[in-house]
Amino acid sequence: QVQLVESGGGLVQPGGSMRLSCAASGSIFSINAMGWYRQAPGKQRESVAAITSGGSTHYADSVKGRFTIARDNAKNAVYLQMNSLKPEDTAVYYCNAWRGGLLPVDYWGQGTQVTVSS
């Protein structure tokens, strides 16, 4: 099992920055990739950014050039640096850990609210 705990959400003005953190514990060695998803009211959960165990990163088109995902293997943590925030970035952000193989498993954090508003 893997446990994920997010932190760093809150209220920020348009154009501002915020960093989300996700601390992972448990069977970390089995994780192939970690990432961030978000879900806005009335919308489906969507992938925002991901980073593989090899360090490859992937971003949704809507956040490319504004968001940066990074991981600290020593701390078992993954971060999402969000710059130039827009009101449409408002959502609950979830940390995700994915374990591949014959029986893929997704692990989720509890979510943290990010609100971009003046």
Side-chain angles (χ1 to χ4, degrees):
Q1 294 294 321
V2 174
Q3 295 77 43
L4 304 172
V5 178
E6 302 104 332
S7 61
L11 174 65
V12 63
Q13 292 187 339
S17 298
M18 180 177 287
R19 190 175 86 148
L20 303 181
S21 300
C22 175
S25 60
S27 302
I28 307 300
F29 64 90
S30 66
I31 296 303
N32 299 105
M34 295 187 69
W36 292 91
Y37 285 68
R38 67 186 180 187
Q39 187 167 20
K43 295 187 177 182
Q44 289 187 331
R45 190 175 296 189
E46 63 175 357
S47 176
V48 176
I51 185 165
T52 69
S53 56
S56 297
T57 57
H58 306 272
Y59 297 95
D61 288 342
S62 59
V63 306
K64 281 182 181 177
R66 299 189 298 122
F67 290 13
T68 302
I69 189 169
R71 65 191 294 171
D72 185 333
N73 291 328
K75 296 182 178 180
N76 292 329
V78 64
Y79 308 98
L80 185 67
Q81 178 66 43
M82 304 183 292
N83 299 326
S84 303
L85 283 160
K86 305 175 181 179
E88 49 264 42
D89 294 317
T90 295
V92 177
Y93 283 70
Y94 296 91
C95 181
N96 168 269
W98 179 76
R99 186 186 72 197
L102 293 176
L103 296 174
V105 178
D106 278 296
Y107 299 96
W108 297 95
Q110 81 284 357
T112 184
Q113 176 70 46
V114 173
T115 302
V116 184
S117 175
S118 55

Coordinates of all heavy atoms in Angstrom, one line a residue, residues 54-88:
G54 N 11.8 7.2 -14.0 CA 13.0 7.6 -14.7 C 13.2 9.1 -14.9 O 14.2 9.5 -15.4
G55 N 12.2 9.8 -14.5 CA 12.3 11.3 -14.5 C 11.7 12.0 -15.7 O 11.7 13.2 -15.8
S56 N 11.0 11.2 -16.6 CA 10.3 11.8 -17.7 C 9.1 12.5 -17.2 O 8.4 12.0 -16.3 CB 9.9 10.7 -18.7 OG 11.1 10.1 -19.3
T57 N 8.8 13.7 -17.8 CA 7.6 14.4 -17.4 C 6.6 14.6 -18.5 O 7.0 14.6 -19.7 CB 8.0 15.8 -16.8 OG1 8.8 16.5 -17.9 CG2 8.9 15.7 -15.6
H58 N 5.4 14.8 -18.1 CA 4.3 14.9 -19.1 C 3.3 16.0 -18.5 O 3.1 16.0 -17.3 CB 3.6 13.6 -19.3 CG 4.5 12.5 -19.7 ND1 4.8 12.2 -21.0 CD2 5.2 11.6 -19.0 CE1 5.7 11.2 -21.1 NE2 5.9 10.8 -19.8
Y59 N 2.8 16.8 -19.4 CA 1.9 17.9 -18.9 C 0.7 17.9 -19.8 O 0.8 17.7 -21.0 CB 2.6 19.2 -19.0 CG 3.8 19.3 -18.0 CD1 5.1 19.1 -18.5 CD2 3.6 19.7 -16.7 CE1 6.2 19.2 -17.6 CE2 4.7 19.8 -15.9 CZ 6.0 19.5 -16.3 OH 7.0 19.6 -15.5
A60 N -0.4 18.3 -19.2 CA -1.6 18.7 -20.0 C -1.3 19.9 -20.8 O -0.6 20.8 -20.3 CB -2.8 18.9 -19.1
D61 N -1.9 20.0 -22.0 CA -1.6 21.2 -22.8 C -2.0 22.5 -22.1 O -1.4 23.5 -22.3 CB -2.4 21.1 -24.1 CG -1.9 20.0 -25.1 OD1 -0.7 19.6 -24.9 OD2 -2.6 19.6 -26.0
S62 N -3.0 22.4 -21.3 CA -3.5 23.6 -20.6 C -2.6 24.2 -19.6 O -2.7 25.4 -19.2 CB -4.9 23.3 -20.0 OG -4.7 22.3 -19.0
V63 N -1.6 23.4 -19.2 CA -0.7 23.9 -18.1 C 0.8 24.0 -18.6 O 1.7 24.4 -17.9 CB -0.7 23.0 -16.9 CG1 -2.2 23.0 -16.4 CG2 -0.2 21.7 -17.1
K64 N 1.1 23.5 -19.8 CA 2.4 23.5 -20.3 C 3.0 25.0 -20.3 O 2.3 25.9 -20.7 CB 2.5 23.0 -21.8 CG 2.4 21.5 -21.8 CD 2.5 21.0 -23.3 CE 2.4 19.5 -23.3 NZ 2.4 19.0 -24.8
G65 N 4.2 25.1 -19.8 CA 4.9 26.4 -19.7 C 4.5 27.1 -18.4 O 5.2 28.1 -18.2
R66 N 3.6 26.6 -17.7 CA 3.2 27.3 -16.5 C 3.4 26.5 -15.2 O 3.7 27.0 -14.2 CB 1.7 27.7 -16.5 CG 1.3 28.7 -17.7 CD -0.1 29.2 -17.5 NE -1.1 28.1 -17.6 CZ -2.0 27.8 -16.6 NH1 -2.0 28.6 -15.5 NH2 -2.9 26.9 -16.8
F67 N 3.2 25.2 -15.4 CA 3.3 24.2 -14.2 C 4.6 23.4 -14.4 O 5.0 23.1 -15.6 CB 2.1 23.3 -14.1 CG 0.9 23.9 -13.7 CD1 0.7 25.3 -13.7 CD2 -0.2 23.2 -13.4 CE1 -0.5 25.9 -13.3 CE2 -1.4 23.7 -13.0 CZ -1.6 25.1 -12.9
T68 N 5.2 23.0 -13.3 CA 6.4 22.2 -13.3 C 6.3 21.1 -12.2 O 6.0 21.4 -11.1 CB 7.7 23.0 -13.1 OG1 7.8 24.0 -14.1 CG2 8.9 22.0 -13.2
I69 N 6.4 19.9 -12.6 CA 6.4 18.8 -11.7 C 7.8 18.3 -11.4 O 8.7 18.3 -12.3 CB 5.5 17.6 -12.2 CG1 5.3 16.6 -11.1 CG2 6.1 17.0 -13.5 CD1 4.3 15.5 -11.5
A70 N 8.1 18.0 -10.1 CA 9.4 17.5 -9.7 C 9.2 16.5 -8.6 O 8.2 16.5 -7.9 CB 10.2 18.7 -9.3
R71 N 10.2 15.7 -8.5 CA 10.2 14.7 -7.4 C 11.5 14.7 -6.6 O 12.6 15.0 -7.2 CB 9.8 13.3 -7.9 CG 10.9 12.7 -8.8 CD 10.3 11.4 -9.5 NE 10.0 10.4 -8.5 CZ 9.4 9.3 -8.8 NH1 8.9 9.1 -10.0 NH2 9.1 8.4 -7.8
D72 N 11.4 14.4 -5.3 CA 12.6 14.3 -4.5 C 12.6 12.8 -4.0 O 11.8 12.5 -3.0 CB 12.5 15.3 -3.3 CG 13.8 15.3 -2.5 OD1 14.4 14.2 -2.4 OD2 14.1 16.3 -1.9
N73 N 13.4 12.0 -4.6 CA 13.3 10.6 -4.2 C 13.8 10.4 -2.8 O 13.3 9.4 -2.1 CB 14.2 9.8 -5.1 CG 13.6 9.7 -6.5 OD1 12.4 9.7 -6.7 ND2 14.5 9.6 -7.5
A74 N 14.7 11.2 -2.3 CA 15.2 11.0 -0.9 C 14.1 11.3 0.1 O 14.1 10.7 1.2 CB 16.4 12.0 -0.7
K75 N 13.2 12.2 -0.3 CA 12.1 12.5 0.7 C 10.8 11.8 0.3 O 9.7 12.1 0.9 CB 11.9 14.0 0.7 CG 13.0 14.8 1.2 CD 12.7 16.3 1.2 CE 13.9 17.1 1.8 NZ 13.6 18.6 1.9
N76 N 10.8 11.0 -0.8 CA 9.6 10.4 -1.2 C 8.5 11.4 -1.4 O 7.3 11.2 -0.9 CB 9.1 9.3 -0.2 CG 10.0 8.1 -0.1 OD1 10.7 7.8 -1.1 ND2 10.2 7.5 1.0
A77 N 8.8 12.4 -2.1 CA 7.9 13.5 -2.3 C 7.8 13.9 -3.8 O 8.8 13.8 -4.6 CB 8.3 14.7 -1.5
V78 N 6.7 14.5 -4.2 CA 6.5 15.0 -5.5 C 5.9 16.4 -5.3 O 5.1 16.6 -4.4 CB 5.7 14.1 -6.4 CG1 4.2 14.0 -5.9 CG2 5.6 14.6 -7.9
Y79 N 6.3 17.3 -6.2 CA 5.8 18.7 -6.1 C 5.2 19.2 -7.4 O 5.6 18.7 -8.5 CB 7.0 19.6 -5.7 CG 7.8 19.1 -4.5 CD1 9.0 18.4 -4.7 CD2 7.3 19.4 -3.2 CE1 9.7 17.9 -3.6 CE2 8.1 19.0 -2.1 CZ 9.2 18.2 -2.3 OH 9.9 17.8 -1.2
L80 N 4.3 20.2 -7.3 CA 3.8 20.8 -8.5 C 3.9 22.3 -8.3 O 3.2 22.9 -7.4 CB 2.3 20.4 -8.7 CG 1.7 21.0 -10.0 CD1 2.4 20.3 -11.2 CD2 0.2 20.7 -10.0
Q81 N 4.8 22.9 -9.0 CA 5.0 24.4 -9.0 C 4.1 25.0 -10.0 O 4.2 24.6 -11.2 CB 6.4 24.8 -9.3 CG 6.7 26.3 -9.3 CD 6.5 26.9 -8.0 OE1 6.9 26.4 -7.0 NE2 5.8 28.1 -8.0
M82 N 3.2 25.8 -9.6 CA 2.2 26.4 -10.5 C 2.4 27.9 -10.6 O 2.3 28.6 -9.6 CB 0.8 26.1 -10.0 CG 0.5 24.6 -9.8 SD -1.2 24.3 -9.3 CE -1.2 25.0 -7.6
N83 N 2.7 28.4 -11.8 CA 2.9 29.8 -12.0 C 1.8 30.3 -13.0 O 1.2 29.6 -13.7 CB 4.3 30.0 -12.6 CG 5.4 29.6 -11.7 OD1 5.3 29.7 -10.4 ND2 6.5 29.1 -12.3
S84 N 1.7 31.7 -13.0 CA 0.8 32.3 -13.9 C -0.6 31.7 -13.8 O -1.2 31.4 -14.8 CB 1.3 32.3 -15.4 OG 2.5 32.8 -15.5
L85 N -1.0 31.5 -12.6 CA -2.3 30.8 -12.4 C -3.5 31.6 -12.9 O -3.5 32.9 -12.9 CB -2.5 30.6 -10.9 CG -1.7 29.4 -10.3 CD1 -1.5 29.5 -8.8 CD2 -2.3 28.1 -10.8
K86 N -4.5 30.9 -13.4 CA -5.7 31.4 -14.0 C -6.9 31.0 -13.2 O -6.9 29.9 -12.6 CB -5.8 31.0 -15.5 CG -4.6 31.3 -16.3 CD -4.8 30.6 -17.7 CE -3.5 30.9 -18.6 NZ -3.7 30.3 -19.9
P87 N -8.0 31.7 -13.3 CA -9.2 31.2 -12.6 C -9.6 29.8 -13.0 O -10.2 29.1 -12.2 CB -10.2 32.3 -13.1 CG -9.4 33.5 -13.3 CD -8.1 33.0 -13.9
E88 N -9.4 29.5 -14.3 CA -9.8 28.1 -14.7 C -8.9 27.0 -14.1 O -9.2 25.8 -14.4 CB -9.7 28.0 -16.3 CG -8.5 28.6 -16.9 CD -8.6 30.0 -17.4 OE1 -9.2 30.8 -16.6 OE2 -8.1 30.3 -18.5

